[in-house]
Amino acid sequence: MTEATETPGAHGEEPSRRDFIFIATGGALAVGGAFILWPFVDQMNPAADTLALASTEVNIAELEEGQEITVIYRERPHFVRRRTAAEVEAAREVNVANLPDGDARNFNIAAGSPATDENRSAMTAVVSEGVEIEDAVRASLLVTSANCTHLGCVPTEGAGDYGAWFCPCHGSHYDTSGRIRRGPAPENLSVPVMTFTSASVLRLG
Amino acid sequence: MSGPSTYEPKTGFTRWLDSRLPVVRLGWDSFVDFPTPRNLNYWYTFGGILTVCLMIQIITGIVLAMHYVPHIDHAFASVQRIDRDVNYGWLIRSIHAVGASMFFLAVYMHIFRGLYYGSYKAPRELLWILGVVIYLLMMAAAFLGYVLPWGQMSYWGAMVITNLLGAFPLIGGPITEWLWGGFSVGNATLNRFFSLHYLIPFLIAGVVGLHVWALHVPGNNNPTGIDVKSNRDTLPFHPYYTSKDGFAIVLFMVIFAFFVFYWPDALGHSDNFIPADPLVTPALIVPEWYLLPFYAILRAVPDKLGGVLLMFGAIGVLFILPWLDTSKVRSMRYRPLARWFFGFFVLACLGLGWAGAALPDDPVPGLGAVGVDFLMMGRVLTVYYFAYFLVILPILGFVEKPASRPASIEESVLGNSSQSAPAAVPAE
Ligand code: HEM
Ligand code: FES
């Protein structure tokens, strides 16, 4: 092969050293580029200290029946509501099959569990060893995320068709179990992981 | 029209420079001797106005960044401090905040101008698409900027808009967390939004460069939509259009200054004077006025994902517009049907803005009696918005009989004594 007839990479010819260098360089740049791109993408994900955000403890002893407080857990507001017997009753009477979202959306139990009130209330919370707490109290407590599942606004307490929560942003109505009943929101308000660490303290997370 | 260069360096230094870095030649050919149709009207001055707006935002922004603190505990107070304590901070912040609105006012004039005179048609498709890219970047910059003062509207606007992305199945959740850098809109979010708000205007400046480049290959369109045929159709950019643009810029600045000095908060929202509170949502969340039509389109659909897709689609359709309009005639001056549909389109956009600002369930004044609420109005206008691009313009090209056009740009301006005035005057 003389210099004059050599065209790099021409068909039917032995690949030259130049072809090899060309392909190897291109390959190294592509793979290396992909590897170095990832750190620049991933740096935007929640950092380790954010992920490790401490749990939030709620003093439930001072909660009166029918009273609601809003606490921050993992940067997000959460409703903690000690419901009246009537509210619990209303929530239990609902036929789950007719709900827009039939999933309990409760991180304490298996995903896909039906959205009964029992599956949404603090009945599903872990009770630490040695802690005594009445069933009626557990059943009356409801803890949910306070961000509307539509676009994240905080619904107003005691309003809407179900006398529970109404989101003013685009008109979503939630019932006394925090389940979506009417409006654009697609899901029930989610229930965080929770543990009764004593008879008066409920720990979220 | 990028013909041979007419620049002749006259001094020793400019000759020396020209053979090394012909930057003066570039400026001369682009903005001094550039042949420009002689019939451009005032709708054509918004390009120059937009350039000024971008420069104003960048200069005032860089100054604000010297005093602004991107931290959730300090951002609100630092902006108040700019307003009250920093020397002339009130002025510079007011210029920046009002400037964003003025920027959008100008860009809407510029876009509607293009729609009316058919400036998106061949050979200017890429020029148009670059313009839509600039518009998208502007919306991103304005949204991010509005978050920075960390008032209630800042916070909840950021919340609602970032949650929109959560509508996408599977990837939605991870993407929103990636954007937030946490479990919700928080300090990490504010920090990165500041960084990106600083970046985007410089990207815009880059795309503006491409936009002007793409303009200077085919040259300007003009109100007749007819191609330039001879140099009798054109005038050199300087002094004719430098002075016309300059005059328009001065008028625009008068309006700008009126808002800056006499009504600086008119275009903002009073809820943004309340510091961000993650526990309380304002009763009515609305974006800045220039984004309201898209907000109305978002709300027109009962389904979350559907609404998001339609909203992005409203801008997406602009990208393919050059291939949707089938008419061979560029300017709507000579399209007797199209100009009506265009008029309704402008009204539809204004109506969508009105619907976006209102509560969806409220009755429309005057139409409430017949049961029309803002949601329904938003829906009807959304249908028209899309129909204009996807149905009306494609069909009209085949069924419409265009009016007769002048033989040349020169004739449309100077006429030949017999058939002069009436045809050319009105739309200016
Ligand atoms: C395309 C150009 C730009 C647009 C449309 C824009 C828009 C905005 C808007 C709407 C606000 C909120 C104003 C308020 O209500 O207070 C804002 C704030 C801010 N912008 Fe920009 N901006 C642009 C360029 C820049 C640049 C280039 C910088 C920095 C170099 C910058 C720095 C800031 C800072 C520090 C604030 C927070 C202070 C304040 O709220 O007034 N901006 N911007
Ligand atoms: S955010 Fe609650 S209804 Fe839209």
Side-chain angles (χ1 to χ4, degrees), chain A residues 41 44 76 150-151 154 170, chain B residues 163 178 183 192 281 304:
Chain A
V41 172
M44 280 183 55
R76 280 176 168 271
H150 183 225
L151 296 176
V154 175
H170 317 94
Chain B
N163 266 307
W178 177 76
F183 302 106
R192 62 191 55 185
T281 306
K304 180 168 156 184

Side-chain angles (χ1 to χ4, degrees), chain B residues 83-410:
Chain B
D83 265 349
R84 291 157 205 274
D85 297 333
V86 175
N87 298 336
Y88 290 105
W90 59 271
L91 177 64
I92 292 158
R93 172 168 184 238
S94 181
I95 294 175
H96 195 77
V98 170
S101 279
M102 290 294 143
F103 204 162
F104 277 92
L105 182 71
V107 88
Y108 284 130
M109 297 296 179
H110 196 65
I111 293 174
F112 282 124
R113 184 282 319 262
L115 287 174
Y116 187 76
Y117 294 127
S119 303
Y120 46 84
K121 295 188 190 184
R124 297 185 184 81
E125 303 95 320
L126 267 184
L127 171 60
W128 170 261
I129 287 174
L130 287 167
V132 181
V133 170
I134 294 171
Y135 177 45
L136 265 177
L137 287 171
M138 275 175 64
M139 291 197 278
F143 161 68
L144 296 169
Y146 196 56
V147 176
L148 302 184
W150 209 242
Q152 274 288 66
M153 273 302 159
S154 300
Y155 180 86
W156 290 102
M159 189 70 148
V160 166
I161 300 296
T162 52
N163 266 307
L164 286 179
L165 299 173
F168 293 101
L170 297 178
I171 55 163
I175 284 191
T176 27
E177 270 197 8
W178 177 76
L179 215 60
W180 290 333
F183 302 106
S184 184
V185 175
N187 197 49
T189 325
L190 179 59
N191 250 292
R192 62 191 55 185
F193 278 17
F194 180 48
S195 170
L196 294 173
H197 182 68
Y198 208 132
L199 166 71
I200 289 179
F202 294 92
L203 296 183
I204 294 180
V207 185
V208 168
L210 295 178
H211 189 70
V212 174
W213 190 3
L215 169 70
H216 283 188
V217 175
N220 291 78
N221 183 28
N222 66 82
T224 64
I226 309 172
D227 285 331
V228 168
K229 298 197 176 85
S230 72
N231 57 14
R232 298 166 60 85
D233 288 341
T234 64
L235 297 169
F237 191 80
H238 180 75
Y240 293 97
Y241 287 108
T242 40
S243 54
K244 185 159 186 158
D245 279 354
F247 181 63
I249 288 168
V250 169
L251 283 186
F252 190 79
M253 286 303 134
V254 172
I255 304 172
F256 197 137
F258 169 75
F259 278 106
V260 167
F261 291 107
Y262 293 101
W263 219 10
D265 298 321
L267 302 164
H269 196 291
S270 51
D271 270 329
N272 230 20
F273 286 97
I274 306 170
D277 181 356
L279 299 184
V280 183
T281 306
L284 177 61
I285 299 184
V286 284
E288 294 272 82
W289 69 266
Y290 38 80
L291 301 177
L292 286 173
F294 298 104
Y295 198 52
I297 292 175
L298 168 76
R299 291 196 303 196
V301 192
D303 177 66
K304 180 168 156 184
L305 181 59
V308 174
L309 290 178
L310 207 63
M311 185 178 73
F312 287 122
I315 298 160
V317 68
L318 294 175
F319 280 100
I320 53 167
L321 171 62
W323 295 275
L324 290 175
D325 186 344
T326 50
S327 173
K328 295 274 177 295
V329 180
R330 278 202 199 100
S331 172
M332 292 200 184
R333 220 182 238 191
Y334 309 106
R335 300 186 59 190
L337 291 177
R339 59 192 304 175
W340 279 99
F341 286 109
F342 173 82
F344 290 133
F345 177 75
V346 175
L347 290 179
C349 292
L350 294 174
L352 280 170
W354 191 24
L359 276 171
D361 293 337
D362 279 355
V364 179
L367 296 173
V370 286
V372 179
D373 58 14
F374 279 104
L375 182 63
M376 189 191 286
M377 175 169 132
R379 285 185 177 157
V380 172
L381 296 178
T382 300
V383 169
Y384 185 78
Y385 181 97
F386 282 95
Y388 178 77
F389 293 113
L390 299 174
V391 182
I392 297 172
L393 286 182
I395 293 179
L396 221 51
F398 295 106
V399 301
E400 181 183 50
K401 189 173 171 302
S404 69
R405 280 154 285 153
S408 71
I409 294 172
E410 187 196 12

Side-chain angles (χ1 to χ4, degrees), chain B residues 7-128:
Chain B
Y7 174 64
E8 276 175 30
K10 296 202 175 61
T11 68
F13 173 72
T14 47
R15 270 193 295 277
W16 180 88
L17 185 66
D18 195 53
S19 58
R20 285 163 179 78
L21 180 70
V23 56
V24 182
R25 177 181 298 276
L26 180 70
W28 174 275
D29 293 339
S30 310
F31 304 109
V32 178
D33 194 46
F34 188 70
T36 312
R38 67 191 313 153
N39 60 339
L40 299 190
N41 55 27
Y42 276 103
W43 295 107
Y44 281 78
T45 59
F46 284 100
I49 290 174
L50 282 164
T51 313
V52 173
C53 285
L54 180 62
M55 289 186 326
I56 291 178
Q57 291 307 100
I58 289 181
I59 292 167
T60 52
I62 289 175
V63 173
L64 287 173
M66 294 179 187
H67 306 279
Y68 171 77
V69 187
H71 188 285
I72 53 172
D73 294 337
H74 306 292
F76 187 85
S78 77
V79 172
Q80 291 307 309
R81 185 176 160 272
I82 292 173
D83 265 349
R84 291 157 205 274
D85 297 333
V86 175
N87 298 336
Y88 290 105
W90 59 271
L91 177 64
I92 292 158
R93 172 168 184 238
S94 181
I95 294 175
H96 195 77
V98 170
S101 279
M102 290 294 143
F103 204 162
F104 277 92
L105 182 71
V107 88
Y108 284 130
M109 297 296 179
H110 196 65
I111 293 174
F112 282 124
R113 184 282 319 262
L115 287 174
Y116 187 76
Y117 294 127
S119 303
Y120 46 84
K121 295 188 190 184
R124 297 185 184 81
E125 303 95 320
L126 267 184
L127 171 60
W128 170 261

Side-chain angles (χ1 to χ4, degrees), chain A residues 34-53:
Chain A
F35 269 110
I36 200 64
L37 188 64
W38 177 243
F40 285 88
V41 172
D42 193 40
Q43 53 82 20
M44 280 183 55
N45 274 316
D49 62 335
T50 310
L51 291 173
L53 271 190

Side-chain angles (χ1 to χ4, degrees), chain A residues 50 60 71 80 112 114 134 138 146 148 150 171:
Chain A
T50 310
I60 50 168
V71 299
V80 181
E134 285 173 51
R138 288 200 295 150
C148 179
H150 183 225

